Amino acid sequence: MSASALSLREAAQTALENNPSLQRTQREIEVAEEYLKVARGNKGVSVSASSSYNAAKTEGTLHSRSLSARVTASLTLYSGNKLETQIKSAELDIETARLEFLKAKDDLVYQVAIAYVDALENLATTRVNLQTEENLAAHEQNIALLYDAGSKAKIDLLRAQVETANAEQDTSKSHAAYEVSLVNLATLMSVNDISDMTLDEISTALEMVDLEDFLTRADENRDDLRADALRIEQGELNIEIARANKRPTVSAQVGTGLNSSYDSWHPTPDISAGVSASWNIFDSGITRAQIQSAEIELGRLRLAMESDIDSVHKDVVTAYKNLQIAIMRLRTTQKAVDLAEEERYIATEKYNAGEGILLDILDAETALATARKNLVSATYDVARYRIELAHAMGDTLFVIR
C-alpha cells in the first residue's frame, strides 16, 4: 500500500489479507479437512484398553478378589460400503468449502470495488459542486460591483448571495458523503483510516459481447454453482450411506490380557483373535426413514441449484442491461455538458451587457451543474455495472486487472 495513493487493486489485496469474515470462511476448509481425517480413521485400526478389579465376600466364605487388564485391536473388514462412501463425502466437503471460500473472496473484491467507485463518484460530485459554488461566488462578486455602480438592483445581489450559500451547503454534503464512503471502504479493508490517502481513477475493461456469451461464462465460472453441483453429488452419497445400514458389517479383533486372583497374584496372560459380523435385521423403520430423508434432501438440493442458476442469470441480465444504458448515457451527457457550458456563457454575457436577467444566469448554472453531475453519474455507472457484470459471471478481478 502506498503512503499517499491507494489503487483499487491495493485496496482489494488489503481486504483479502485482513478481512475477518474471509478468514472465518477459510477456517471452514480446515474444519472439513479434520472431518476427512475422522472419516478415514473410522476405516483404520482402533485400539482400546480396559482394566477391572473385583472384590466380593459371602457370609461364611473367604474374600474373593480378582484383577484383569486387556488391550484389544479391531478393524472393520466390511461396512456395506458405508465407510468408503463417508470418506468420499468428506472429500467433497473440502472441495465445497474451497469453492465457498473462492466465492467469498470474489464477493469481498466486488464489495471493495463498488465502495471504491462510490468514493470516486462522491469525490467527483464534490468537485462539481465546488466548481458551481465558485461560479456562483464569481457572479456574486460581479453583481456586487454592478450594484455598487448603481446598474443592478439590491434584490439581484441578495439572490446571488443566497444561491452561493446554497451551493456551499451542497459542497459540504457531498464532501461528507465522500468521507463516509472512505469509512465504508476502510471497514471492508479492515484498516483504521484511509482519509489521508488519495484514490486513483480506475480503468475497467470488459468487451461487450452477446448476452448469451456472458450467461455461458457465468454458468462455467460461478463457484457457488459448482459448489451446488458438489452438494448434489454429496446428496447422492448420503443416500448410499443410509442404504448401507441395511447391509451387514464385519470386523476382526485381536486382544491380549492379564488376569490374576486372590489365591495367586501372579498374572496369567491370554491372547484372543476372532471375526464378528452384525446385521440389523429390524430397526422399526429407522433405516427406511433415513433413506427417504436423504432422497428428499437430494431433491431439495437439485431445486436449490435450479433456483441459484435462475438467480445468477437474472444478475447477469440486469447488470448487462444497466451497463448498456450507462454507456448510452455517457455519450449523451457529455454533449449535454458542452451545450450547458455554452448556455452559461451566453447568459452571463447578456446579463453583464444589461440585456439579460439574473434568473437566466441561475438557470444556466443549475443546468450546467446538473449536466456535469449526470456525466459523473454516467461515468461511474459504467465502471460500476462493468464490475457488477464481472461479479455476476464469478470473476470480479477480471474487470479490474
Side-chain angles (χ1 to χ4, degrees), residues 117-130:
V117 171
D118 289 343
L120 287 176
E121 182 175 0
N122 288 328
L123 179 60
T125 301
T126 299
R127 289 169 177 166
V128 170
N129 287 333
L130 182 60

Side-chain angles (χ1 to χ4, degrees), residues 207-225:
E207 182 182 358
M208 290 297 289
V209 296
D210 291 338
L211 177 58
E212 290 299 324
D213 292 337
F214 287 125
L215 292 172
T216 300
R217 287 160 65 178
D219 291 338
E220 295 173 349
N221 295 337
R222 285 286 292 247
D223 292 315
D224 48 345
L225 295 184

Side-chain angles (χ1 to χ4, degrees), residues 11-207:
Q13 185 60 40
T14 301
L16 292 175
E17 294 173 355
N18 298 341
N19 190 274
S21 296
L22 186 63
Q23 294 173 0
R24 185 174 64 249
T25 304
Q26 189 174 19
R27 292 283 182 169
E28 294 177 3
I29 300 176
E30 299 174 9
V31 172
E33 290 173 344
E34 295 304 316
Y35 276 119
L36 176 59
K37 294 178 182 179
V38 172
R40 288 173 174 169
N42 289 333
K43 200 173 183 301
V45 177
S46 63
V47 180
S48 62
S50 64
S51 64
S52 65
Y53 171 78
N54 295 301
K57 183 177 184 300
T58 305
E59 186 176 354
T61 65
L62 297 175
H63 287 285
S64 173
R65 290 178 291 182
S66 64
L67 178 66
S68 66
R70 191 165 193 82
V71 176
T72 303
S74 61
L75 175 67
T76 301
L77 302 177
Y78 176 73
S79 64
N81 203 37
K82 182 176 183 178
L83 297 180
E84 293 81 0
T85 307
Q86 287 176 335
I87 292 174
K88 292 179 182 178
S89 180
E91 290 171 346
L92 289 180
D93 263 339
I94 295 177
E95 292 304 314
T96 301
R98 287 172 178 167
L99 289 173
E100 289 175 344
F101 175 66
L102 292 176
K103 179 64 169 62
K105 287 179 63 177
D106 191 66
D107 288 345
L108 180 58
V109 171
Y110 165 73
Q111 294 171 13
V112 170
I114 292 299
Y116 197 97
V117 171
D118 289 343
L120 287 176
E121 182 175 0
N122 288 328
L123 179 60
T125 301
T126 299
R127 289 169 177 166
V128 170
N129 287 333
L130 182 60
Q131 182 63 54
T132 302
E133 177 188 338
E134 292 174 351
N135 291 344
L136 290 172
H139 288 306
E140 179 187 340
Q141 292 176 357
N142 184 48
I143 292 172
L145 294 175
L146 294 175
Y147 170 73
D148 291 339
S151 60
K152 293 296 179 183
K154 186 174 182 179
I155 191 171
D156 281 3
L157 178 59
L158 294 176
R159 179 61 186 276
Q161 292 171 338
V162 169
E163 293 299 327
T164 302
N166 289 338
E168 290 175 355
Q169 293 293 318
D170 291 339
T171 302
S172 298
K173 289 178 181 179
S174 58
H175 183 71
Y178 169 65
E179 292 182 337
V180 170
S181 62
L182 287 182
V183 172
N184 294 336
L185 181 57
T187 301
L188 290 170
M189 296 167 58
S190 298
V191 296
N192 293 328
D193 186 25
I194 57 173
S195 59
D196 59 338
M197 294 184 173
T198 59
L199 304 185
D200 293 339
E201 283 297 332
I202 64 173
S203 175
T204 56
L206 184 64
E207 182 182 358

